Amino acid sequence: MPDLFFATMERLTPALRRGDLEACELEIAKEIRAMPVTPFHVVLDLSISNDPADAAAHFDRFFREESARIPIAAAYTEMNGFDINPDRWYCDLFAYTADGGHDDHDWISDWQSEQFDDFTINGLERLQDVYASKAFREKANRDASYMSSLMVVVKFQRFMQRAAAQMKQLKFPLYVTAHDFDFIAAVRPNE
């Protein structure tokens, strides 16, 4: 992966940990705008179009069902591996009896919840088309592709931040990212 991608994530981690996802999005947008224009630049014009209230209701249903089975101390949601699965973008939900925090994210792979319906992410279809095209495989687009992926993650995190504000059952941290990303935001109740 390109150095710019890693350097940007490292530079933005303090803002991510503070929950300043807007600052993360603005900085990533600045980096993308500084690059030669590619098909991936469309990410700058797109937003997740789902209603945050719909996501909140979906997550609340999951939290209700799981809290009847286990005491929930933390939850996690991740988008699918969207860059290599451009047909449909969605997120999965997981619940845990302990909160492993940010020191070591290995705990995230050991969830205690049952399988639950995923939640489809809408509004980014034009970018999905770019990932499905030959532009994704072109070396000249590599930096833009990686930075676009990071932007998708932050747009998802910001969407989940808005949805969490409407969740009635969220009484623990909700960790948010995409598959294979260590750039993980913790959304807390009433943020």
Side-chain angles (χ1 to χ4, degrees):
M1 282 187 206
D3 293 338
L4 175 63
F5 175 76
F6 284 121
T8 302
M9 283 194 298
E10 186 174 329
R11 189 174 68 253
L12 294 178
T13 294
L16 177 76
R17 296 287 185 262
R18 286 191 313 272
D20 191 353
L21 299 174
E22 181 178 8
C24 293
E25 185 171 353
L26 291 171
E27 185 62 26
I28 296 164
K30 184 173 107 183
E31 294 285 355
I32 293 172
R33 284 188 186 98
M35 297 175 179
V37 175
T38 72
F40 290 95
H41 281 65
V42 71
V43 72
L44 299 172
D45 302 324
L46 303 176
S47 299
I48 293 174
S49 61
N50 298 77
D51 184 340
D54 292 341
H58 184 83
F59 276 70
D60 276 343
R61 196 166 57 253
F62 171 70
F63 297 147
R64 263 192 309 279
E65 285 185 24
E66 287 305 315
S67 65
R69 288 184 1 45
I70 60 172
I72 303 175
Y76 173 72
T77 184
E78 70 173 23
M79 283 184 69
N80 61 316
F82 59 85
D83 57 347
I84 59 171
N85 297 294
D87 293 341
R88 179 173 167 259
W89 289 359
Y90 60 89
C91 63
D92 286 309
L93 296 75
F94 305 91
Y96 305 82
T97 56
D99 179 0
H102 280 298
D103 290 337
D104 181 354
H105 291 127
D106 285 347
W107 64 275
I108 288 174
S109 65
D110 188 25
W111 61 89
Q112 289 78 54
S113 55
E114 298 290 325
Q115 186 163 351
F116 193 78
D117 295 334
D118 58 47
F119 183 81
T120 300
I121 305 297
N122 297 312
L124 305 175
E125 291 79 8
R126 287 174 44 212
L127 182 59
Q128 289 172 238
D129 291 342
V130 175
Y131 280 104
S133 75
K134 66 180 183 173
F136 181 56
R137 294 177 299 283
E138 291 175 355
K139 217 177 214 184
N141 296 333
R142 186 168 296 170
D143 280 343
S145 168
Y146 283 123
M147 294 305 290
S148 175
S149 292
L150 186 55
M151 179 63 92
V152 169
V153 171
V154 172
K155 285 179 183 278
F156 176 59
Q157 291 167 334
R158 290 195 73 195
F159 172 76
M160 289 309 304
Q161 201 174 42
R162 291 188 300 276
Q166 300 181 52
M167 292 177 193
K168 295 174 178 41
Q169 303 297 317
L170 182 63
K171 299 173 180 18
F172 35 78
L174 171 61
Y175 293 87
V176 183
T177 195
H179 186 69
D180 279 341
F181 273 81
D182 286 331
F183 198 72
I184 302 173
V187 177
R188 306 203 181 277
N190 303 327
E191 280 192 349

